[in-house]
Amino acid sequence: MVAARAVRTFGYGCTSVLLAEMLTQDGDAPWQTGLLLAVAAAGSVAFSLLLGLFADRWGRRRVLIVCGMLMALAGVAFALSESFPVLVAAAFIGTISPSTNDNTPFSGVEQAILAQSCDRARHTTVFTFYNVTALGAGALGGLAAAGLGAQDLVSAGDAAFALYALLAATTVVLFARLSPLAEARPGGLTEPEPEAPRPAEDRAARLPAAVRRLAALFAIDAFAGGLAVQAVLAWWFAHRFGASTAQLGLVFFAANLVPALAQLAAPLLAARRGLLAAMLVPHLASNLVLALIPLAPSLGGAVALLLLRQALSKIDVPARQAFTAAVVPARDRTAAASMTSLARSIAVSVSPLAATALLTGPLAAAGAPLLLGAALAIGYDLTVWRSYRSTPLGEAAG
């Protein structure tokens, strides 16, 4: 699971830096870029819903392999075609991502497998390892984008998506090698439950109210984050400060490497302060910094603020995943992880349209998507804190 996520995120890190500029070179307008990213997110929503409801019945390994094959097919389409309708169709089926965030159909199933593989007290540590390796791989993907941008033998975007297809094929091999222990079974490995498992169809409907409420809050956070995803930031840096493709690759190499290192603090923070504090405190600080980026007078200043924001922005992820796994029984974890991921994906499907609408005229120069994203994310932090500050769920996760 960890290796497959890392390989996949390397591809996201490489292609997300180059995607917007590649579409611009193909003659597509900014609204078309926003539409394509929205369709890609909508595809993730549809497949996340299917997998959340039926992955345990169909077989977790089987559905992961199919998703990997579709990802490879999308990579081939983007590498070989400039037809916008073809690219839109490929984006819908192929989990094209505008950032290294993994709001994809893979994540819910993978998180359920990881949660099943160890006892609850180790969840934050396991999810930290799962995310840190992915962020490190995403950083290397940004570095690869810089290398592709520095050469002039082939189109950097086409080469990136050809690599993306190869990486997707590699994940298929990894998924095929999963042990049968990855499949769903009552209680997982370490938490036997006498109650018989329920049919997959009614799991989402019976999720605890706290999880449904948290999923709605996650959607707000995801929409806010989607306004400042890597593809949008790359476009804004290029047009606001004239950053080159090679510069952007190096910037986002650092921007993904820094949170990978910072996220190692998540288990310690969760152990000392609880999952809720580990989720919200660094997340709030990161969005305060995000709001300052449009005020930077130069590329260097904006990059410095971006790196500071990135150092804080991902510490919450393992705590959030452990929190979600802690509030539901083991039998419901695939549905819970997939449904919260689904809520995030639905929100992210709208964000690119909103972001690209704000990347016009004086709104673009003012960094409107970044300012709006920061404001919404700060509102999310304050709302979650008010809703869950007296709930001992974080401590229940160990």
Side-chain angles (χ1 to χ4, degrees):
M1 290 294 90
V2 171
R5 169 96 187 271
V7 169
R8 185 170 69 248
T9 310
F10 181 94
Y12 295 155
C14 184
T15 56
S16 61
V17 173
L18 301 168
L19 177 59
E21 191 61 29
M22 184 184 89
L23 294 175
T24 300
Q25 291 173 356
D26 290 345
D28 297 323
W31 71 265
Q32 290 177 295
T33 299
L35 176 61
L36 186 142
L37 295 178
V39 169
S44 290
V45 168
F47 284 100
S48 294
L49 179 60
L50 284 174
L51 268 58
L53 294 175
F54 301 114
D56 288 353
R57 170 181 289 187
W58 292 342
R60 292 172 176 174
R61 290 183 296 171
R62 182 179 294 114
V63 298
L64 289 173
I65 288 170
V66 170
C67 287
M69 290 178 174
L70 292 174
M71 180 179 168
L73 181 62
V76 172
F78 271 79
L80 298 180
S81 177
E82 295 183 1
S83 168
F84 187 72
V86 170
L87 297 184
V88 167
F92 182 82
I93 67 169
T95 64
I96 300 299
S97 178
S99 72
T100 55
N101 294 332
D102 198 7
N103 297 318
T104 66
F106 297 97
S107 60
V109 180
E110 289 176 346
Q111 290 171 35
I113 293 172
L114 290 174
Q116 180 175 282
S117 71
C118 65
D119 60 78
R120 184 172 292 187
R122 296 182 59 203
H123 282 174
T124 303
T125 300
V126 169
F127 284 127
T128 297
F129 187 57
Y130 173 68
N131 288 286
V132 166
T133 54
L135 287 170
L140 293 175
L143 191 61
L148 292 174
Q151 57 82 39
D152 55 7
L153 297 176
V154 294
S155 165
D158 292 345
F161 277 102
L163 176 61
Y164 183 87
L166 179 61
L167 294 170
T170 302
T171 67
V172 171
V173 174
L174 291 170
F175 291 140
R177 292 175 59 83
L178 278 174
S179 161
L181 295 175
E183 301 297 349
R185 55 200 181 286
L189 288 174
T190 60
E191 301 172 61
E193 297 178 10
E195 183 180 347
R198 299 194 301 266
E201 293 89 340
D202 67 353
R203 286 179 184 167
R206 299 193 186 186
L207 288 176
V211 174
R212 296 196 296 270
R213 183 168 64 251
L214 195 60
L217 291 166
F218 285 177
I220 296 173
D221 179 47
F223 179 83
L227 294 172
V229 291
Q230 192 159 296
V232 172
L233 285 168
W235 188 96
W236 188 76
F237 276 114
H239 289 77
R240 174 70 173 80
F241 298 110
S244 67
T245 300
Q247 287 176 317
L248 290 173
L250 292 174
V251 166
F252 288 106
F253 165 67
N256 286 297
L257 182 61
V258 167
L261 299 175
Q263 202 172 99
L264 295 172
L268 178 61
L269 183 58
R272 283 178 170 267
R273 300 298 180 186
L275 291 178
L276 193 60
M279 285 168 59
L280 298 182
V281 174
H283 190 267
L284 174 63
S286 74
N287 284 289
L288 292 172
V289 176
L290 177 63
L292 298 177
I293 293 177
L295 305 179
S298 65
L299 177 61
V303 169
L305 288 171
L306 175 65
L307 295 180
L308 177 58
R309 182 251 182 174
Q310 291 295 99
L312 297 166
S313 65
K314 302 297 184 183
I315 296 176
D316 71 302
V317 176
R320 188 182 71 231
Q321 292 167 341
F323 184 74
T324 303
V327 296
V328 295
R331 63 175 179 267
D332 286 330
R333 283 180 185 148
T334 299
S338 294
M339 291 305 107
T340 52
S341 178
L342 175 65
R344 296 181 66 86
S345 296
I346 291 173
V348 168
S349 69
V350 182
S351 294
L353 290 175
T356 51
L358 295 172
L359 289 175
T360 56
L363 291 176
L370 282 62
L371 294 172
L372 179 58
L376 289 173
I378 291 170
Y380 154 85
D381 291 323
L382 297 177
T383 303
V384 172
W385 179 257
R386 183 176 179 180
S387 300
Y388 290 90
R389 62 188 176 189
S390 60
T391 303
L393 294 175
E395 288 70 20

